[in-house]
Amino acid sequence: MRRIQPRRSPAVPLILLSLAGAAAVLSLWWHNTPNVEGTAEWLTHAGRLSGLLGGYVLALVVLQMARVPALERRVGSDRVARWHAMSGRYALCLIVAHVGLIIAGYAEQAGTGLVDQSVTVVMDYPDMIKATVGTAMLVAIGLISAGAARRRMPYEVWYYLHLFTYLAVFLTFWHQLATGAEFVGNKTAETAWYALYGTVTALVVWYRLLVPLRLNLRHRMRVAAVVPEAPGVVSVLIKGRRLHRIGAQAGQFFRWRFLAPGMRWGSHPYSLSAPPRPELLRITVKAVGGHSTGLASLKPGTRVWAEGPYGAMTAARRSRGKVLMIAGGAGITPIRALFETLPGKGGDLTLLYRARSVEDLALWDELKQIATERGARLLYAVNGPDGARPEITPERLRHLLPDIEDHDVYLCGPPGLAEHAYGALREAGVPDRRIHHESFEL
């Protein structure tokens, strides 16, 4: 069987490049650090190192917020989001360690208390008032981004508070060059640091501001119609000019902002539920929150602001001729678009759709038509009359597809279903590299 060559993921090279940058920062500190003697010097030099690494990782945190296509479309938005969260935790820990170690080292050297030394550093050192405000903002943003706090907060509130990261980074940047021993008198290091932060800033401005502005001015999208699909599920048809030139693919998503009362301040990711047409895009959304519920009341003609396309769960990930798709709930939307467009013989395509009931099988008539036209297999699993849920087990998967280990699998659904199905697929013999999944949880 002919193997379809997948697009190479840049994840590993990017991780290695990030580690190389960290090694360069460590080298800068090493070459600028003489023999260390005494408690005060140990504390101070450890504070310098944690500060340098914290500043470097903070630049990566902002880069991961820039929505660079090479990351969003090829690595995957969910993986980039995990990198961002992990890097943010590392950066915050390093920055807090930097502050504590530097203050402790200076206090030990001067023979003063920690509070007195803190006041001296903040008030007397250049750019330290701005840095203190920025650090306090970073700590606050880190706390509200923690799991427990984040789950209690409306997405829009969290999103706009999160944007203050940019201001916090700006405020903390200047003291690094003004007081950092590695930069004072070292033009090469200073230029490299400016280049790092300048490049990250340019990427943020370009991909977060200018690219979306150009996209929306060029394509001028509006709501064409809202169509009920199933209980609590609607499709929003979006018209615009030359939409095929956006370059979206089946399996990808946009971040959508609908300029309607009560919705214009929220931007949420929804997948395309049909292949892009020259003048029409379609999303299908299940009502699970205030924003998604409000889509049912959108009026034709409502202006739409979109950012994207994003996502790596596309046909380019396919490496085998045979494909199994597993969808649950609203996860059917990108799977439905892929079901229609994945290249290959229809008999090599199998779609398993998991829902609570037959009535909850959104887009079912369309799926049946696609399956008939392509000669593909279409199956569903719904709860029994007593509410019992049919489990996706390795045994059932092997019974369904005896050669399942030779399949690529596209998986999209609620976290519980996705996690359970992933484990069953691995036990059934499907390699991790051939299970393609993206989570769009916020």
Side-chain angles (χ1 to χ4, degrees):
M1 181 180 297
R2 182 179 67 86
R3 288 176 60 88
I4 301 171
Q5 294 298 318
R7 182 183 298 172
R8 293 183 180 274
S9 170
V12 173
L14 286 172
I15 292 172
L16 293 177
L17 182 61
S18 300
L19 293 176
V25 170
L26 180 61
S27 175
L28 176 64
W29 171 84
W30 180 265
H31 287 293
N32 197 56
T33 301
N35 294 330
V36 181
E37 298 178 356
T39 302
E41 288 193 6
W42 276 108
L43 291 171
T44 302
H45 289 299
R48 285 172 42 217
L49 176 59
S50 59
L52 280 170
L53 290 173
Y56 170 71
V57 176
L58 196 57
L60 297 185
V61 169
V62 177
L63 174 62
Q64 292 153 7
M65 296 172 67
R67 298 177 184 168
V68 178
L71 297 176
E72 294 277 342
R73 301 183 189 179
R74 299 183 63 193
V75 175
S77 296
D78 59 338
R79 184 184 290 183
V80 174
R82 290 195 295 271
W83 287 358
H84 173 70
M86 179 183 64
S87 300
R89 289 190 289 270
Y90 287 153
L92 191 59
C93 290
L94 287 166
I95 290 168
V96 171
H98 164 67
V99 172
L101 290 167
I102 285 291
I103 295 297
Y106 286 178
E108 177 72 17
Q109 188 176 36
T112 60
L114 294 177
V115 174
D116 290 340
Q117 188 61 51
S118 298
V119 173
T120 298
V121 169
V122 172
M123 301 306 297
D124 295 346
Y125 283 57
D127 293 313
M128 278 307 303
I129 294 179
K130 290 188 295 185
T132 302
V133 174
T135 300
M137 292 175 63
L138 288 172
V139 172
I141 292 167
L143 291 176
I144 67 172
S145 297
R150 169 66 189 93
R151 286 191 291 270
R152 294 186 178 93
M153 187 178 298
Y155 169 74
E156 287 79 9
V157 175
W158 171 86
Y159 174 81
Y160 285 107
L161 287 176
H162 208 67
L163 291 180
F164 278 97
T165 301
Y166 297 125
L167 176 58
V169 172
F170 175 80
L171 291 173
T172 59
F173 172 77
W174 304 104
H175 91 286
Q176 300 174 52
L177 299 177
T179 63
E182 284 70 25
F183 301 111
V184 176
N186 187 340
K187 288 298 182 183
T188 301
E190 181 181 298
T191 301
W193 212 247
Y194 270 119
L196 171 64
Y197 274 81
T199 300
V200 169
T201 301
L203 290 172
V204 169
V205 171
W206 180 254
Y207 288 114
R208 293 297 300 265
L209 297 177
L210 299 182
V211 169
L213 180 63
R214 182 183 63 178
L215 181 150
N216 287 279
L217 291 177
R218 176 179 295 178
H219 300 289
R220 299 186 179 277
M221 288 176 275
R222 294 181 180 271
V223 173
V226 178
V227 182
E229 301 287 1
V233 179
V234 298
S235 287
V236 181
L237 305 181
I238 298 164
K239 63 182 179 180
R241 301 187 303 183
R242 300 184 295 275
L243 297 179
H244 59 291
R245 294 189 179 181
I246 295 178
Q249 303 176 53
Q252 292 189 309
F253 68 96
F254 290 77
R255 289 181 170 88
W256 302 95
R257 188 187 306 273
F258 297 92
L259 305 185
M263 300 186 69
R264 64 181 67 249
W265 298 110
S267 174
H268 289 247
Y270 300 125
S271 298
L272 297 175
S273 61
R277 311 297 185 195
E279 306 294 335
L280 194 70
L281 300 175
R282 188 183 77 172
I283 59 174
T284 302
V285 182
K286 184 175 182 179
V288 294
H291 190 275
S292 54
T293 301
L295 297 181
S297 60
L298 287 174
K299 305 299 183 184
T302 300
R303 289 289 303 272
V304 180
W305 184 275
E307 297 178 43
Y310 303 122
M313 197 175 69
T314 65
R317 287 294 180 93
R318 184 179 177 184
S319 62
R320 297 287 173 129
K322 297 182 178 181
V323 174
L324 167 65
M325 303 178 187
I326 301 177
I332 192 60
T333 53
I335 295 296
R336 182 257 178 250
L338 285 165
F339 192 49
E340 179 180 349
T341 58
L342 271 178
K345 298 179 180 178
D348 293 333
L349 301 177
T350 302
L351 171 56
L352 174 60
Y353 189 175
R354 175 75 177 86
R356 288 193 180 91
S357 66
V358 173
E359 290 74 20
D360 290 320
L361 294 170
L363 308 175
W364 184 250
D365 290 339
E366 294 182 17
L367 293 169
K368 288 196 297 183
Q369 182 177 350
I370 294 170
T372 300
E373 292 175 353
R374 302 201 64 181
R377 300 176 67 186
L378 177 61
L379 308 169
Y380 69 85
V382 298
N383 295 355
D386 59 352
R389 301 177 59 184
E391 298 293 341
I392 298 176
T393 64
E395 294 74 24
R396 288 181 176 177
L397 290 172
R398 291 193 194 98
H399 177 74
L400 174 65
L401 297 169
D403 60 346
I404 190 170
E405 66 277 3
D406 293 326
H407 284 65
D408 272 291
V409 180
Y410 288 82
L411 172 62
C412 193
L417 169 69
E419 183 177 350
H420 183 82
Y422 176 84
L425 289 164
R426 294 291 288 120
E427 287 189 43
V430 182
D432 177 79
R433 65 182 180 277
R434 292 210 299 272
I435 302 175
H436 313 303
H437 168 253
E438 277 190 311
S439 172
F440 307 130
E441 279 204 301
L442 298 170

